[in-house]
Amino acid sequence: MERVGVLVVSYGSREAAMVDAFIRSNKYKVELYIADRQRNPFNLRRAEEHVVIPDLNINTIYRFAEKHRDKIDFGIVGPEKPIIEGIRDLIENNLGIPMICPTKEYALERSKVLQRILFQEVVPEVNPRFKVFYPKDYSSIEDVKRDLYKWLDELNNEVAVKPDAPAAGKGVGVWGDHFNTREELLEHFLANFKVGPVIVEEKIEGEESSFQAFCDGKHIVPLPETRDYKRAFDGDRGPNTGGMGTYKSRGYILPFMRPEDWEEEKRIIERIFEKLKGGGSNPNLRGMPFYEAFIHTGRGPMILENNSRPGDPEIIPILALLKDDFVDICFRMIEGSLTRIDIEDKAAVVVYKVPPTYGDYIKFFPEMVKRDEVGTPVILEEAENLSKKYGDNIRIYPGSMELREDGRCYALSSRAVAVLGISEDIQGAREIAMEGIKAIKGGALWHRNDIASRDHIERSIKHMEDLRRGIRWQFT
Ligand code: GLY
């Protein structure tokens, strides 16, 4: 088998799933050089060389790549921070190692304002109404408050408040979800306004979906749509998180979408791609420049935000269902010849297990936390052994978790471990994922119980049917 060396810049479970996809290659012997945020037990076992870089500093990642440059054929990056800081530019320009992620210029998530301005130019019909408040334009809080309240009058208070700079989902506040009075909204606004521009945009009622695509600079290849579970608690309540789970249906669309919604999403992304590509091809876009959050309304999808990285956990089910060799997909992205990808026509569900401090669970539900388990080792073996029952239809991907000197795994502060279930339908996949989740013991970890549940999906379907008939829901 041909040997291939791959640099993986890893944050959590999403990259463990990438590592798994590489290792499963039956065409190449893949040697992995992993720059990781922690001593991830899954990655450690599979890496040729593994280094821990807790802040994923790009100069430290660069030095690791430089040390192994003769053995690395290409690199791939999961998390957004190194992409925004220019990891691709640094490594490609100085070491000549092709990187799979956009260059710094195309990391559009560095500024939500620039994104909105781009969408307004290219796809205004799907861009919510928005106004940007720049600190440089105001000399007093009273001035900005006056303009803000005027804008709130126009939008009837139904707004989302978003800081310009990335805040890992935590900076976004939504009327009715995160605040119910103008005073609360103002407090949230000012906390963000202290550090930079703030967008106040129309709140859109609908159901969210995640669009992802691989891109070689000439073509974009859309991947099946997934649903993210952004809020911490069951029933889509509580603080925003990085995502507590996801599901994908068979086929390319989600149960609450219509085929024309999918066609419209692809049209929107094509328009943005054409604009950024500027005709011909633009290899700087290589990677996943379009991981888009859409919100489906009665009038079709509208655009919420763009990221230049794969979704976590949304890419996990896709990677597990690739029929094509992941190494070949990467080579084709580098060559500019990626025109299609074959994906198994199965359903998949991912559920995350997280520590008590995550999503402020311990504050909201102190009585639910298993106090005697806090800080104890997390036992994965029983869940891993479920592969005897389910084969490749169950995967356990540790994320924010480290292997310590005592040979045991301990959860860190973020999403600790993802369990993926695969089946012919969503409910079958959910059952497998939940069995895996329940088999993981220790660390006082908790999870959402309604990821991909029948009730949750039926509610989304009903919500969309009502919205298409012009009926809005009152959320409490
Ligand atoms: N699941 C949300 C994200 O990756 O940003």
Side-chain angles (χ1 to χ4, degrees):
M1 278 212 273
E2 189 182 335
R3 182 208 155 276
V4 174
V6 182
L7 167 71
V8 179
V9 179
S10 170
Y11 180 91
S13 301
R14 167 185 51 198
E15 292 77 21
M18 285 182 187
V19 163
D20 197 25
F22 282 129
I23 292 291
R24 284 170 188 267
S25 171
N26 44 30
K27 277 179 75 179
Y28 303 92
K29 180 180 173 332
V30 185
E31 267 177 20
L32 294 165
Y33 296 82
I34 305 179
D36 215 330
R37 192 166 162 246
Q38 59 264 309
R39 277 173 57 81
N40 183 309
F42 188 94
N43 294 348
L44 267 170
R45 259 184 264 138
R46 289 155 180 87
E48 194 71 19
E49 289 289 336
H50 184 276
V51 64
V52 174
I53 306 174
D55 61 355
L56 293 177
N57 176 289
I58 61 169
N59 294 312
T60 320
I61 300 170
Y62 171 80
R63 284 196 294 278
F64 177 67
E66 186 180 34
K67 185 167 160 208
H68 301 289
R69 65 189 295 177
D70 296 339
K71 290 168 279 177
I72 296 174
D73 294 282
F74 64 84
I76 187 162
V77 186
E80 66 191 3
K81 180 175 164 280
I83 303 178
I84 294 172
E85 290 172 0
I87 186 74
R88 170 161 166 197
D89 313 56
L90 190 62
I91 291 186
E92 273 190 5
N93 296 345
N94 294 292
L95 301 176
I97 297 172
M99 295 295 287
I100 296 178
C101 69
T103 58
K104 185 175 177 169
E105 183 185 355
Y106 293 96
L108 297 185
E109 63 268 64
R110 72 180 180 279
S111 164
K112 290 200 178 64
V113 172
L114 289 181
Q115 280 187 35
R116 279 281 169 245
I117 292 170
L118 173 75
F119 300 153
Q120 194 58 27
E121 184 190 338
V122 185
V123 283
E125 68 285 7
V126 295
N127 201 25
R129 294 167 67 198
F130 72 101
K131 186 167 165 63
V132 186
F133 294 83
Y134 295 95
K136 65 174 173 42
D137 293 345
Y138 295 97
S139 52
S140 74
I141 290 181
E142 278 316 306
D143 284 351
V144 68
K145 185 174 158 187
R146 195 179 46 248
D147 275 7
L148 174 66
Y149 281 18
K150 225 163 87 190
W151 183 232
L152 293 178
D153 287 342
E154 267 190 59
L155 296 181
N156 203 18
N157 292 330
E158 297 283 318
V159 296
V161 178
K162 300 180 170 179
D164 179 40
K170 295 185 184 77
V172 178
V174 179
W175 182 268
D177 290 347
H178 303 99
F179 30 72
N180 289 299
T181 65
R182 283 197 173 181
E183 288 66 35
E184 287 167 355
L185 184 152
L186 181 66
E187 195 182 317
H188 180 89
F189 174 92
L190 290 175
N192 288 297
F193 194 65
K194 261 197 322 223
V195 283
V198 178
I199 306 176
V200 180
E201 66 186 37
E202 189 186 354
K203 172 184 168 182
I204 308 286
E205 185 188 331
E207 293 289 323
E208 279 190 46
S209 72
S210 300
F211 175 102
Q212 301 176 98
F214 285 125
C215 176
D216 65 0
K218 283 188 202 153
H219 319 93
I220 44 174
V221 182
L223 301 167
E225 197 86 351
T226 49
R227 167 70 176 227
D228 187 23
Y229 281 78
K230 197 118 209 81
R231 306 290 286 275
F233 309 137
D234 285 7
D236 296 321
R237 291 173 189 274
N240 282 342
T241 69
M244 298 294 289
T246 190
Y247 67 83
K248 93 165 261 307
S249 196
R250 289 182 69 173
Y252 272 68
I253 64 175
L254 295 172
F256 56 82
M257 288 170 63
R258 302 168 304 182
E260 55 265 43
D261 299 327
W262 174 237
E263 293 308 317
E264 173 67 354
E265 286 189 6
K266 287 190 288 186
R267 182 193 71 82
I268 295 164
I269 300 300
E270 274 296 339
R271 295 257 296 271
I272 300 170
F273 180 48
E274 283 306 321
K275 169 75 186 170
L276 295 178
K277 193 165 63 141
S281 87
N282 182 351
N284 291 336
L285 288 162
R286 177 198 312 137
M288 298 196 73
F290 306 112
Y291 153 40
E292 225 79 19
F294 279 109
I295 186 149
H296 295 265
T297 73
R299 287 173 289 117
M302 295 192 73
I303 201 159
L304 287 180
E305 64 174 44
N306 182 92
N307 294 282
S308 61
R309 59 170 171 91
D312 183 353
E314 294 102 306
I315 200 65
I316 295 176
I318 310 293
L319 289 168
L321 292 174
L322 293 175
K323 280 198 202 164
D324 296 308
D325 191 294
F326 190 39
V327 179
D328 277 337
I329 292 175
C330 293
F331 278 140
R332 278 187 269 143
M333 271 195 268
I334 293 164
E335 283 163 14
S337 61
L338 187 73
T339 51
R340 58 169 292 156
I341 294 175
D342 283 331
I343 299 193
E344 271 189 76
D345 189 23
K346 295 242 169 96
V349 172
V350 178
V351 181
Y352 258 119
K353 219 158 175 177
V354 302
T357 45
Y358 194 73
D360 282 341
Y361 184 71
I362 198 159
K363 281 195 204 144
F364 283 91
F365 304 106
E367 71 291 353
M368 300 291 285
V369 175
K370 297 180 192 154
R371 301 281 164 168
D372 53 335
E373 268 194 14
V374 175
T376 60
V378 179
I379 318 291
L380 301 175
E381 284 74 10
E382 197 187 316
E384 286 167 347
N385 281 338
L386 286 170
S387 61
K388 293 191 187 117
K389 183 170 167 192
Y390 294 116
D392 283 344
N393 289 332
I394 188 162
R395 320 270 177 105
I396 315 296
Y397 294 131
S400 180
M401 177 178 283
E402 67 179 8
L403 182 65
R404 292 201 187 141
E405 297 284 300
D406 62 4
R408 310 176 100 178
C409 294
Y410 294 84
L412 299 173
S413 59
S414 195
R415 292 171 291 175
V417 52
V419 179
L420 166 71
I422 298 172
S423 189
E424 296 305 315
D425 59 34
I426 296 175
Q427 292 314 311
R430 170 179 149 81
E431 272 170 35
I432 295 173
M434 291 308 278
E435 194 175 332
I437 280 289
K438 286 178 186 146
I440 295 173
K441 303 281 166 33
L445 302 185
W446 64 279
H447 59 276
R448 265 182 77 159
N449 281 298
D450 63 348
I451 307 289
S453 70
R454 204 180 292 280
D455 280 356
H456 194 282
I457 293 173
E458 278 171 5
R459 191 171 190 276
S460 300
I461 294 171
K462 173 86 176 77
H463 189 199
M464 286 313 307
E465 284 169 359
D466 280 351
L467 285 175
R468 288 182 196 117
R469 292 205 308 260
I471 302 166
R472 297 188 64 190
W473 285 13
Q474 293 299 320
F475 290 92
T476 51

